[in-house]
């Protein structure tokens, strides 16, 4: 079990790079807009938004290498993409070159949301699967905190402080890539490619050689069904997992989480805080996120996925409503940061802890990467559109209306959890497939 934990942690470090890459741009946001004298629309969609469009492409196409060259090799390429993105973004001298390198980092983010949870869910025992896959989310959050902290520490390094903020990611990217060389390939992926002897050796290394025959039989049956029916996730029998993946990803972004993470210093300044206080409040966001993600990770295999989603949904509705009221009534000072800390806590213990675990569990072995690519693409298309609109929406309809819309959407999420979402705690991946697929 100790080896499985170590390998899971290494694979989940792709999440650290994802979190760091997503949020590091927030420290450079206003500086880059001033430097290149960009309009709100150009700045939001090109300078800030291009990484997210890279993420969309990474999510759409990330299932292909995850299936073809395997989970491990895809994780290696993700580290290389992050490394080159960090170096290129830091050295860019115009918004288009900057956007191109941010797009490359986005490809790494999108692919990581497929390869890392797929890898971990396939090596983890059923009883610990939620906790181990949730390491990925924990590392996303740790990466977010480190990016906020890094931005704060580098804020006074001169007029080119943004270059240091963007470039520092090259170091963790390099270290992560070295670590990935040391993990084995997924035995389930090897069995799906009929590389049975390799799979047997890795299962022996994991202390699960007793599971080899049963796993081989079920995956061979899965493969033969796929071969006979020209299987894909859009067939009628896979409608249930497809709808579940779509809805959990949809509601994740309709909470406003990515819009908030991208623009937290700007949101705090809108609420009347100075620039330094806004950056410092962003670190508070990172700390709250980390603490409540740890709580979510520790509870996901005990309470189950649905209970955490209930807690998170109620927390979302309360906190987003309070943020909207604070903007409508023009409350100044620490009211908005405190309500947003509550929002982050609700996200971390609910959607944050659950989304990548849940999507990695609900599709059959031979379609797992494709199913995750679908869920991930839904997530990232919305994560590209919503933050890109934030500067325009704040200046046109106001922050209060934006946060009120997010609060209403979370009422619909609560209904989704109550009436549609199944519990997946403690059930083997093969058993889950039988429950969710309607032949």
């Amino acid at each position: 079990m100790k080896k499985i934990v170590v390998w899971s942690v290494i694979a989940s470090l792709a999440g650290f790079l994802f979190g760091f890459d997503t949020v590091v741009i927030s420290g450079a946001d206003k500086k880059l807009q001033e430097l290149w004298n960009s309009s709100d629309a150009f700045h939001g969609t090109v300078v800030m938004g291009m990484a997210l469009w890279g993420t969309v492409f990474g999510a759409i196409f990330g299932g292909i290498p995850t299936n073809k060259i395997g989970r491990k090799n895809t994780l290696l390429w993700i580290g290389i993409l992050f490394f080159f993105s960090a170096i290129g973004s830091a050295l860019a001298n115009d918004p288009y070159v900057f956007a191109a390198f941010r797009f490359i980092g986005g490809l790494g983010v999108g692919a990581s949301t497929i390869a890392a949870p797929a890898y971990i869910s396939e090596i983890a025992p059923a009883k610990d699967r939620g906790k181990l896959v949730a390491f990925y989310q924990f590392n996303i959050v740790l990466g977010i905190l480190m990016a906020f902290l890094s931005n704060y520490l580098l804020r006074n390094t001169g007029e080119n402080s943004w270059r240091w903020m963007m470039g520092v990611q090259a170091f963790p990217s390099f270290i992560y890539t070295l670590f990935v060389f040391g993990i084995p390939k997924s035995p389930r992926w090897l069995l799906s490619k009929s590389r049975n002897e390799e799979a047997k050796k890795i299962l022996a290394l994991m202390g699960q050689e007793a599971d080899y025959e049963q796993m081989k039989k079920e995956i061979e049956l899965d493969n033969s069904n796929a071969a006979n029916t020209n299987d894909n996730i859009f067939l009628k029998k896979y409608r249930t997992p497809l709808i579940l993946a779509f809805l959990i990803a949809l509601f994740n972004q309709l909470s406003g989480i990515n819009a908030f993470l991208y623009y937290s210093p700007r949101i705090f300044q809108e609420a009347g805080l100075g620039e330094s206080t806004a950056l410092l409040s962003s670190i508070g966001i990172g700390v709250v996120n980390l603490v409540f993600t740890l709580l979510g990770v520790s509870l996901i295999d005990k309470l189950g996925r649905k209970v955490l989603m209930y807690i998170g949904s109620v927390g979302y509705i309360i906190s987003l409503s309070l943020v909207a009221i604070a903007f409508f009534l023009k409350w100044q000072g620490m009211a908005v940061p405190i309500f947003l800390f509550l929002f982050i806590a609700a996200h971390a213990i609910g959607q944050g802890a659950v989304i990548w675990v849940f999507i990695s569990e609900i599709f059959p072995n031979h379609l797992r990467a494709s199913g995750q690519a679908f869920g991930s693409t839904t997530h990232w298309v919305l994560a590209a559109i919503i933050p890109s609109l934030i500067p325009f929406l704040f200046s046109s309809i106001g922050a209060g209306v934006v946060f009120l819309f997010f609060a209403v959407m979370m009422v619909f999420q609560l209904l989704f959890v109550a009436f549609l979402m199944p519990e997946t705690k403690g059930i083997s991946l093969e058993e889950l497939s039988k429950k969710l697929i309607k032949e």
Side-chain angles (χ1 to χ4, degrees), residues 300-321:
I300 194 165
D301 284 321
K302 293 180 184 136
L303 300 182
R305 288 55 160 157
K306 278 191 78 152
V307 173
L308 294 191
M309 286 290 286
Y310 274 125
I311 295 167
S313 298
V314 172
Y316 273 147
I317 293 163
I318 294 167
S319 58
L320 286 165
S321 301

Side-chain angles (χ1 to χ4, degrees), residues 119-166:
Y119 178 84
I120 300 166
S121 71
E122 289 178 357
I123 65 167
K127 67 182 175 64
D128 299 308
R129 189 176 60 241
K131 184 169 57 190
L132 292 176
V133 178
F135 276 155
Y136 176 71
Q137 177 64 24
F138 170 76
N139 271 291
I140 293 172
V141 169
L142 185 60
I144 288 169
L145 174 59
M146 289 299 109
F148 279 139
L149 186 60
S150 168
N151 285 349
Y152 181 73
L153 295 174
L154 294 169
R155 74 194 186 286
N156 293 325
T157 49
E159 61 182 82
N160 282 327
S161 59
W162 68 269
R163 294 190 187 276
W164 292 102
M165 289 176 182
M166 303 307 301

Side-chain angles (χ1 to χ4, degrees), residues 265-334:
R266 186 181 287 236
I267 291 167
F268 289 143
Q269 284 178 344
E270 289 257 343
L273 301 183
E275 186 181 357
S276 255
T277 318
L279 280 170
L280 205 52
S281 295
S282 298
I283 295 172
I285 292 297
V287 172
V288 172
N289 207 351
L290 189 71
V291 169
F292 280 87
T293 297
L294 270 174
L295 187 60
V297 169
S298 67
L299 293 175
I300 194 165
D301 284 321
K302 293 180 184 136
L303 300 182
R305 288 55 160 157
K306 278 191 78 152
V307 173
L308 294 191
M309 286 290 286
Y310 274 125
I311 295 167
S313 298
V314 172
Y316 273 147
I317 293 163
I318 294 167
S319 58
L320 286 165
S321 301
L322 287 170
V323 173
I325 291 165
F327 276 110
F328 283 132
L329 301 181
K330 296 186 168 54
W331 293 346
Q332 294 292 303
M334 291 305 291

Side-chain angles (χ1 to χ4, degrees), residues 326-381:
F327 276 110
F328 283 132
L329 301 181
K330 296 186 168 54
W331 293 346
Q332 294 292 303
M334 291 305 291
V336 169
I338 287 166
F339 298 152
L340 283 169
F341 288 171
L342 177 59
F343 165 75
I344 285 291
H347 174 78
I349 203 167
Q351 269 274 12
V354 172
I355 180 171
W356 305 117
V357 175
F358 187 72
I359 295 175
S360 76
E361 293 175 322
I362 56 178
F363 291 96
N365 285 304
H366 70 287
L367 292 174
R368 182 161 298 112
S370 305
Q372 276 185 257
F374 172 79
S376 188
T377 300
T378 304
H379 175 279
W380 288 116
V381 166

